[in-house]
């Protein structure tokens, strides 16, 4: 059991309806959001089985992807593709992932 990975999968589950709404308005932003959110989980999954610097590199990439998801959601809100209320459940889980990544990196 790896809490950071499990929480990143929760982000993906919560993101499904939000991503669908975003894709209706902007296919490119929706695709980038999907890629970045999947990258969080994939890098956490790979990093946990790596050693030393390679592990850290994967966690850093996951943190970068988490930041990218945050910005993509802010863009979607700014362009009124989705509302803050729709994004709130995703942000809640994403905040937990970012906190766990911080602890893994510091």
């Amino acid at each position: 059991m790896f809490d950071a990975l499990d929480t990143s999968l929760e982000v993906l589950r919560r993101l499904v309806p939000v991503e669908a709404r975003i894709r209706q308005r902007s296919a490119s932003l929706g695709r980038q959001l999907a890629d970045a959110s999947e990258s969080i989980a994939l890098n956490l999954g790979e990093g946990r089985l790596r050693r030393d610097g390679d592990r850290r590199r994967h966690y850093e990439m996951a943190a970068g992807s988490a930041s990218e998801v945050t910005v993509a959601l802010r863009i979607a809100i700014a362009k009124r593709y989705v509302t803050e209320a729709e994004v709130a459940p995703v942000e809640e889980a994403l905040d937990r992932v970012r906190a766990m990544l911080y602890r893994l990196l510091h």
Side-chain angles (χ1 to χ4, degrees), residues 29-40:
L29 184 60
R31 181 75 249 149
Q32 194 157 356
L33 179 60
D35 290 346
S37 61
E38 291 166 8
S39 177
I40 299 167

Side-chain angles (χ1 to χ4, degrees), residues 15 19 22-23 26-39 65 68-73 75:
L15 191 58
E19 183 187 322
I22 292 169
R23 280 181 185 262
S26 174
S28 63
L29 184 60
R31 181 75 249 149
Q32 194 157 356
L33 179 60
D35 290 346
S37 61
E38 291 166 8
S39 177
S65 293
E68 186 176 357
V69 169
T70 300
V71 173
L73 292 171
I75 290 169

Side-chain angles (χ1 to χ4, degrees), residues 36 40 60 68 74 104-105:
I40 299 167
E60 286 172 344
E68 186 176 357
R74 287 180 181 168
L104 289 168
L105 290 168

Side-chain angles (χ1 to χ4, degrees), residues 44-85:
L44 281 166
E46 188 168 355
R48 74 179 176 160
L49 297 176
R50 298 294 181 131
R51 296 202 189 282
D52 304 325
D54 201 31
R55 174 180 287 177
R56 180 177 180 79
R57 185 174 65 84
H58 282 284
Y59 292 164
E60 286 172 344
M61 287 189 291
S65 293
S67 179
E68 186 176 357
V69 169
T70 300
V71 173
L73 292 171
R74 287 180 181 168
I75 290 169
I77 291 167
K79 290 192 167 194
R80 297 187 177 142
Y81 298 162
V82 291
T83 66
E84 289 184 28

